[in-house]
């Protein structure tokens, strides 16, 4: 998710998202959550990793019904942008690294 807070509420949005991140990390099915900020553009990027699409859907439904997203949306310049990515099913990260190395070496 990418959000652009109103400048006067930047700190409020960062604090609210930081609290949400900590709650998200213990949500069933969450493998990790983090926030990254682009200080130059004041954008905030939130990423989550989930063990299944069902777990992500349950999380989003829970957050939406609790009003968490509505709470801080009044402090945003525009609607949040959401993107979902699926990770390829490689056996492990070592295999992914080996594949990347072979491709870079041309073989």
């Amino acid at each position: 998710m990418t959000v652009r807070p109103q400048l006067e509420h930047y700190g409020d949005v960062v604090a609210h998202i930081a609290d949400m991140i900590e709650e998200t990390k213990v949500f069933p099915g969450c493998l990790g959550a983090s926030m990254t900020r682009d200080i130059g553009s004041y954008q905030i990027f939130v990423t989550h990793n989930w063990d299944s699409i069902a777990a992500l859907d349950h999380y989003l439904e829970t957050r939406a019904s609790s009003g968490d997203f509505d709470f801080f949306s009044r402090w945003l310049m525009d609607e949040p942008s959401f993107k979902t990515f699926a990770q390829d099913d490689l056996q492990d990260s070592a295999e992914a690294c080996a594949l990347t190395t072979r491709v870079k070496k041309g073989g």
Side-chain angles (χ1 to χ4, degrees):
M1 172 179 76
T2 303
V3 297
R4 293 183 329 132
Q6 298 167 3
L7 293 182
E8 62 271 20
H9 293 292
Y10 184 80
D12 298 319
V13 173
V14 167
H16 186 71
I17 290 175
D19 289 343
M20 288 178 69
I21 291 285
E22 293 307 309
E23 295 168 0
T24 301
K25 287 178 180 179
V26 297
F27 201 89
C30 183
L31 302 174
S34 65
M35 171 176 49
T36 305
R37 297 180 284 158
D38 180 351
I39 302 300
S41 69
Y42 296 98
Q43 291 185 90
I44 300 170
F45 307 96
V46 178
T47 57
H48 301 159
N49 294 315
W50 297 90
D51 66 5
S52 68
I53 296 294
L56 171 60
D57 288 344
H58 178 64
Y59 168 78
L60 292 173
E61 290 169 9
T62 301
R63 286 290 191 191
S65 66
S66 71
D68 285 333
F69 294 136
D70 293 333
F71 176 76
F72 76 91
S73 65
R74 61 195 163 130
W75 295 331
L76 302 180
M77 294 176 71
D78 45 29
E79 289 290 317
S81 169
F82 292 90
K83 291 184 181 179
T84 304
F85 302 92
Q87 184 173 2
D88 289 338
D89 289 330
L90 293 176
Q91 288 182 353
D92 58 32
S93 59
E95 182 180 334
C97 288
L99 177 61
T100 301
T101 302
R102 284 194 305 271
V103 170
K104 285 184 178 179
K105 289 183 177 181

